[in-house]
Each structure stands twice: as C-alpha cells, then as structure tokens.
C-alpha cells in the first residue's frame, strides 16, 4: 500500500518542483540488489567510490526532470526488506523481516550533496525485528532480535545477537557467540561517526584459530592501515567514541594450530576518548588512540604454550593510563609429565 498526501507540482524559472506533505508505504516486500566488482587496489577503490557517489547521487538522477523534491514526512510500516549483495563471486543476503521507518523533511536539490544529510532527511527513526544475515563472504550466519535507531535522540541499540559459521569445515578462522545488547548514546554522523558511549553487555564469544601463519598474513594484508577505517565506518572520515564499556564478557580462544584453549571469565573492558581517523591509522602503533584503556578478568587457568607449566591467576586488572598491571593469587605449577625436560632450576 502506497499513500501520498498533499502532493503538488509547480514550475518556476523553467525548473520543476515536486512537493508532498506525506509519503507512506505499508505491508510491502522490498527487494534490493547490489553487484560490485572486485578491486584490490585500495586507492583505486576509494577514487572509484568517490566518483561513483558524485555521478550517481540521487539529485543527478532526478535533476533531468525535477530540480527539487521535498516531502515533509516519510513513513514505512510493517515492511519486509531484503538486501542481496554480490561481490567477488560471493552472494550475501540480509533480511529484515519487519521494518518500520519514519523520517522528517526529506529534501533533494542541488545543495543536498554538499549538506551531506544522512538519507537526505533532517532526522529519522528506524526499528526492525528478526534480522538475519547469511554472509557467505565471511562464512557467517548472524541473527539479531531487535534493532532501533533514532537520530533525534541520537540513540542506537541492537539486542539478542547471535553469530555462527555457515560451516566449520574451513581453513579460515571463525567465531561462535552471542551478545545480549549493544547500546550507543550521543550518536552523530557528519563527516565521521561519533558517540558519547558505546556499551556492550553479556558478550560470550568463542574464537577458533584455524589458519596458519600464511593465511594470517594474507588476512593482515587484506585489512591494512589504508583500509581499516573503510571496514569500520564506510564513507566516513573518522570514528570517535568518548566511552567504550564491555561488561560480563566471557571469551574462549581455541588455538587449533597450537592445540591450546584459553578462557577469559568475567571479562570487563573500557576505553576512553577512542579515536581512529586518517592520522591515527598511519601514526599510531595500534591504528587508534585513546586516553585510557583497561580490562579485568577472573580465574585465569591455562597451560603455557609449551605445556610445561600450568598458570593460574585469580584476578587480573590492567590500566594503560596508570601503567599498572595487577595480578592476585598467581601460581606457576610445573607439570609432572614434563619434569624430565625441566632445567636444573625452575
């Protein structure tokens, strides 16, 4: 169902103008398809992206017929949205089984591209439920229970997130896990993406390290300092977050190459004034900067990489600002089965 209210057309100084009070769509099924060519040269990709954005802007498409299109309110309700992306001979499918969208003051004219309004509107709110991503390009199946974004309140949240591989018969690393919720306050999208706080709660992740050194090198080359910002925030110049908080985390690392498993229980993490931009990704050792970064976890209990010792740590706390690493109740226990290889002193 499509309903347009208060629509009128006028012509001034040889230019055409289309205006409407409201534009509403409900109970529809939207299918969107995108096909991209492979381009391994990051510089050429960026140049190609910039030129494509300019030549295929919404205004450039409409301008032969309409100099300006203005809609006071746009509403999309009870709609299913399916996005299919084909790139590098692989097809990823993203589905929002129920999608609702409200936007105010939609405007497309000759100044729209310079103003860089997100989706050509002053503000909008978006909610979706039962979201699924079949990401063949990354061997991942992602499910999200709920998503909410409100640009007036500068708030974004997703909850009940689950991720698993499409197949475990692979030579590449993969992740299995779930996240209770991710909440962002003070979200703004101008030249870059900024937020006051990003909070992640109840994070349970199992990381399976399958690949050898050669595969890891290829992966590092793929995500280079020149491309890391594009992976995090495409079409933006920076990512800035005042406070990042992770609480109630449990991380398990299965290192299949070394046949070891490592667990971090009750993991808490924080970072303040986190920033990644064109300057930090070249000048910073870790591609980003922050004022302070810290973490804590309990009941570390694992074997050393050579399996000669068992290492137990009751509590661990670390802060980059203070430069301190505190560990309580630390035990280093030699293993009886390797005593014959132990040095005279240990």
């Amino acid at each position: 169902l499509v309903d347009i209210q208060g629509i009128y057309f006028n012509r001034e100084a040889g230019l055409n103008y289309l205006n409407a009070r409201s534009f509403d769509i409900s109970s529809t099924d939207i299918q969107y398809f995108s096909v991209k060519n492979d381009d391994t040269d990051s510089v050429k990709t960026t140049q190609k992206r910039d030129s494509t954005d300019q030549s295929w802007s919404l205004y450039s498409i409409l301008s032969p017929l309409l100099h300006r299109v203005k809609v006071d309110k746009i509403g999309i309700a009870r709609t299913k949205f399916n996005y299919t992306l084909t790139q590098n001979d692989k097809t990823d499918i993203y589905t929002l089984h129920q999608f609702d969208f409200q936007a105010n003051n939609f405007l497309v004219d000759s100044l729209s591209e310079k103003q860089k309004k997100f989706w050509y509107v002053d503000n909008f709110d978006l909610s979706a439920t039962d979201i699924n991503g079949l990401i063949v390009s990354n061997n991942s199946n992602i499910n999200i229970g709920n998503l909410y974004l409100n640009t007036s309140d500068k708030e974004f949240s997703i909850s009940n997130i689950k991720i698993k591989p499409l197949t475990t018969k692979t030579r590449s690393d993969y992740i299995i896990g779930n996240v209770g919720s991710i909440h962002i306050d003070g979200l703004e999208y101008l030249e870059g993406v900024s937020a006051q706080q990003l909070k992640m709660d109840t994070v349970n992740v199992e990381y399976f390290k399958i690949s050898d050194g050669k595969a890891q090198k290829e992966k590092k080359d793929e995500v280079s300092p020149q491309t890391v910002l594009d992976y995090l925030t495409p079409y933006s110049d920076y990512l800035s977050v005042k406070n990042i908080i992770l609480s109630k985390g449990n991380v398990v690392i299965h290192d299949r190459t070394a046949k070891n498993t490592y667990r971090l229980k009750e993991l808490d993490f924080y970072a303040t004034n986190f920033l990644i931009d064109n300057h930090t990704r070249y000048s910073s050792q870790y591609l980003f900067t922050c004022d302070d970064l810290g973490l804590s976890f309990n009941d570390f209990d694992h074997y050393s990489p050579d399996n000669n010792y068992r290492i137990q740590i009751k509590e661990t706390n670390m802060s980059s600002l203070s430069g301190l690493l505190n560990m309580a109740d630390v035990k280093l226990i030699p293993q009886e089965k390797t005593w014959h290889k132990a040095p005279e002193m240990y």
Side-chain angles (χ1 to χ4, degrees), residues 20-131:
R21 187 171 63 252
S22 65
F23 179 87
D24 295 293
I25 301 174
S26 62
S27 303
T28 59
D29 189 343
I30 300 174
Q31 304 279 335
Y32 183 83
F33 298 88
S34 177
V35 178
K36 297 183 179 181
N37 296 321
D38 183 20
D39 191 345
T40 56
D41 189 327
S42 61
V43 176
K44 290 182 179 179
T45 301
T46 302
Q47 293 174 343
K48 184 178 179 181
R49 181 189 70 185
D50 292 342
S51 62
T52 300
D53 290 346
Q54 293 171 4
S55 62
W56 289 98
S57 68
L58 188 54
Y59 176 72
S60 69
I61 297 172
L62 296 174
S63 58
L65 296 174
L66 298 167
H67 180 65
R68 188 188 71 189
V69 177
K70 183 177 183 297
V71 183
D72 295 339
K73 292 184 180 295
I74 295 177
I76 301 174
R78 301 182 304 279
T79 293
K80 182 179 180 180
F81 181 78
N82 194 86
Y83 173 54
T84 302
L85 170 64
T86 300
Q87 187 173 18
N88 304 339
D89 297 324
K90 293 181 180 180
T91 298
D92 301 331
I93 301 174
Y94 304 87
T95 304
L96 287 69
H97 286 87
Q98 181 159 318
F99 172 71
D100 296 279
F101 176 81
Q102 298 288 330
N104 296 309
N105 299 322
F106 174 84
L107 176 65
V108 178
D109 60 13
S110 59
L111 299 177
S112 298
E113 299 305 314
K114 294 181 180 179
Q115 293 173 340
K116 294 186 177 181
K117 289 184 179 180
F118 201 64
W119 289 346
Y120 302 95
V121 299
D122 285 352
N123 53 72
F124 66 90
D125 66 82
L126 178 157
S127 62
T129 58
D130 192 10
I131 303 165

Side-chain angles (χ1 to χ4, degrees), residues 146-344:
N146 298 281
L147 179 150
Y148 176 73
L149 171 61
N150 188 310
T151 60
S152 295
D153 297 337
K154 300 179 180 180
E155 180 182 353
F156 172 76
S157 64
I158 53 178
S159 60
N160 193 19
I161 308 152
K162 298 178 181 178
I163 181 171
K164 62 181 180 180
L166 296 174
T167 177
T168 58
K169 296 179 180 179
T170 174
R171 295 181 180 179
S172 299
D173 302 352
Y174 61 88
I175 292 176
I176 298 175
N178 60 79
V179 180
S181 64
I182 299 176
H183 191 92
I184 301 176
D185 288 318
L187 178 65
E188 293 187 2
Y189 193 109
L190 298 171
E191 295 292 328
V193 178
S194 64
Q196 290 295 316
Q197 179 172 278
L198 186 159
K199 184 176 182 180
M200 295 171 281
D201 186 60
T202 316
V203 179
N204 299 290
V205 174
E206 288 190 69
Y207 174 70
F208 292 79
K209 185 179 183 300
I210 308 296
S211 55
D212 55 17
K214 181 179 179 181
Q216 285 293 96
K217 184 179 184 302
E218 291 174 354
K219 192 69 175 178
K220 288 179 182 178
D221 291 341
E222 183 179 319
V223 185
S224 66
Q226 291 78 13
T227 61
V228 64
L229 190 60
D230 294 332
Y231 276 85
L232 293 173
T233 55
Y235 303 103
S236 66
D237 294 333
Y238 64 84
L239 173 64
S240 172
V241 184
K242 293 289 185 182
N243 293 286
I244 299 176
I245 301 171
L246 183 153
S247 59
K248 301 177 184 177
N250 290 284
V251 178
V252 182
I253 301 173
H254 302 280
D255 189 345
R256 295 290 174 82
T257 61
K259 298 182 179 179
N260 275 327
T261 296
Y262 305 95
R263 290 179 172 84
L264 298 179
K265 300 179 182 178
E266 301 176 35
L267 174 66
D268 292 328
F269 170 88
Y270 71 86
T272 60
N273 291 323
F274 175 93
L275 173 66
I276 179 171
D277 61 13
N278 290 326
H279 176 70
T280 65
R281 62 179 179 172
Y282 289 105
S283 61
S284 174
Q285 180 181 358
Y286 303 106
L287 308 180
F288 66 88
T289 60
C290 62
D291 289 350
D292 189 16
L293 182 151
L295 60 85
S296 64
F297 54 88
N298 296 330
D299 298 323
F300 184 88
D301 186 358
H302 297 289
Y303 293 98
S304 61
D306 57 11
N307 289 313
N308 291 336
Y309 294 91
R310 183 176 180 179
I311 305 169
Q312 295 178 332
I313 308 172
K314 185 64 177 177
E315 296 179 2
T316 303
N317 292 275
M318 185 273 288
S319 168
S320 64
L321 183 63
S322 66
L324 295 177
L325 172 62
N326 297 318
M327 294 183 289
D329 195 7
V330 180
K331 296 179 181 178
L332 185 63
I333 307 169
Q335 299 303 289
E336 292 185 12
K337 62 183 179 181
T338 61
W339 278 1
H340 66 283
K341 297 190 297 181
E344 294 182 0

